[in-house]
Amino acid sequence: MQSVVAELLSLLAEVAPRLARISAFIAAGVFAANVAVAFGLVRYVAGLSGRLTRPANLPNEVGTAILTTAASTTAGYATLAEYRESGLLDDRATLVAVVINTFFGFVQHVFTYYVPVMIPILGTEVGVVYVSARAGIALAITVTGVLLGGLFLSERNVDRAALADVEAGGPEDDDRGSRERVRDAATKSWATLRRIVPRLAVVYVVVIGLVTNYDVDSLTRIAEPITGVLGLPGEAVPVIAVYTLDTTAGAVTIAGAEPGTFTTRTAVATLLIGGILSFAVSTFRRSIPFQYGIWGAEFGTKVIAVNTALKLCFISLTVALLLAPVW
């Protein structure tokens, strides 16, 4: 019994400094990100939206929904839903607008999750490449939406007369004072930390405990035929499995691997493959309730199908580029 307690204390002593350092980075990053969002930093990025909607044959007013998405995904989708229900956009035009929305929806997560959470966990090099890859995927989907709009939309898909019936507000309607914005940012940051840090602690203890007490190579050797096809180490399998269920835990798992196990390219490819498999989980956990709530079951299913197909396509292409033997 004493040996078990001593081993546990030794494990906690090894985990505590790393967890404390990452938690400090996350706390500072999440708070700064929430303050930036509260004061409208994302609006400057979303200001590009008008330049995207015009080549896609969509009215400039759709840019309001895209701008809103950069600050609040729910509000942005709700604005698009109002445009559709009012008759401003038909189903085809709405789907194109949803696709164009992708990058601007990602922008919010860059500030509130990827930069303050994922980069500290993964380390600067792997973290920056991973976030850049995800940003590139989102941007490619948005550009695809612009091209599809230019090819397949016309005035027949937009009823500008319906604008008179639309009352859609954006983040510029926020009338909170500076002190209230900072206070709200602190509240959101604390909620994020309460959710993430305990989970990080548990995952760190489990991962480091496994690495310390078990032969990880022997546990993952049976996966070598599968991972070998893609040029990934056998250790990629448990990372992908964990990432499928929880992205933060997956990042912690790969960060806890022995040095030299993953290169930057194979680490990022492993996380992206985990992202492909996690769609099945996230679709039932988040996408279906959210999209059905916004659009209803019939059109919500179309939105989920289009979003999933494009993400699978561009993530697969990115993985292929990362693992191309010409590098």
Side-chain angles (χ1 to χ4, degrees):
M1 181 64 180
Q2 290 181 344
S3 62
V4 173
V5 173
E7 186 175 342
L8 180 59
L9 290 175
S10 175
L11 185 59
L12 291 175
E14 184 178 354
V15 170
R18 187 182 305 178
L19 180 64
R21 178 176 59 83
I22 290 179
S23 297
F25 276 114
I26 290 175
V30 168
F31 177 68
N34 282 322
V35 170
V37 171
F39 282 92
L41 178 62
V42 293
R43 300 180 199 178
Y44 294 102
V45 180
L48 299 172
S49 61
R51 299 182 182 180
L52 295 175
T53 54
R54 286 190 292 274
N57 294 321
L58 290 170
N60 291 340
E61 289 76 12
V62 174
T64 302
I66 294 175
L67 182 152
T68 305
T69 301
S72 168
T73 303
T74 302
Y77 270 89
T79 303
L80 281 180
E82 187 172 357
Y83 287 157
R84 175 174 174 265
E85 290 170 6
S86 70
L88 173 64
L89 305 177
D90 68 3
D91 283 1
R92 180 183 292 184
T94 303
L95 282 174
V96 168
V98 167
V99 173
I100 295 175
N101 240 0
T102 302
F103 177 73
F104 296 93
F106 176 81
V107 166
Q108 179 188 168
H109 298 298
V110 169
F111 290 107
T112 59
Y113 178 69
Y114 286 106
V115 170
V117 176
M118 292 296 277
I119 290 180
I121 293 173
L122 295 172
T124 303
E125 183 175 345
V126 174
V128 168
V129 173
Y130 173 70
V131 173
S132 298
R134 294 303 299 254
I137 291 166
L139 182 59
I141 294 173
T142 288
V143 172
T144 299
V146 175
L147 295 176
L148 290 174
L151 290 172
F152 298 111
L153 296 185
S154 66
E155 290 295 327
R156 293 192 302 271
N157 305 106
V158 177
D159 180 10
R160 297 179 186 273
L163 276 175
D165 300 325
V166 176
E167 294 182 2
E172 66 275 3
D173 297 324
D174 191 344
D175 57 358
R176 293 176 299 167
S178 298
R179 185 171 299 178
E180 187 178 357
R181 292 179 193 229
V182 172
R183 185 168 58 248
D184 289 346
T187 300
K188 290 181 180 179
S189 301
W190 175 242
T192 301
L193 291 173
R194 283 192 305 174
R195 185 180 72 251
I196 291 178
V197 173
R199 188 173 64 204
L200 281 181
V202 172
V203 173
Y204 258 128
V205 170
V206 172
V207 169
I208 294 179
L210 286 173
V211 171
T212 303
N213 296 290
Y214 296 94
D215 182 2
V216 178
D217 289 340
S218 65
L219 292 175
T220 59
R221 195 168 293 133
I222 59 173
E224 288 181 0
I226 301 173
T227 56
V229 172
L230 296 175
L232 298 174
E235 290 83 352
V237 173
V239 173
I240 292 170
V242 174
Y243 190 97
T244 299
L245 300 175
D246 186 280
T247 56
T248 307
V252 171
T253 304
I254 203 168
E258 287 291 326
T261 302
F262 293 92
T263 65
T264 297
R265 291 191 295 115
T266 57
V268 173
T270 297
L271 293 172
L272 291 176
I273 292 171
I276 292 175
L277 298 179
S278 71
F279 283 144
V281 176
S282 63
T283 295
F284 285 97
R285 184 186 296 172
R286 293 187 293 271
S287 294
I288 288 179
F290 175 75
Q291 300 292 0
Y292 280 21
I294 294 290
W295 309 104
E298 183 179 355
F299 191 72
T301 300
K302 295 179 182 179
V303 171
I304 292 171
V306 170
N307 281 339
T308 300
L310 288 170
K311 287 178 181 178
L312 289 175
C313 175
F314 283 104
I315 290 178
S316 299
L317 179 60
T318 303
V319 170
L321 291 173
L322 284 168
L323 300 180
V326 296
W327 288 63

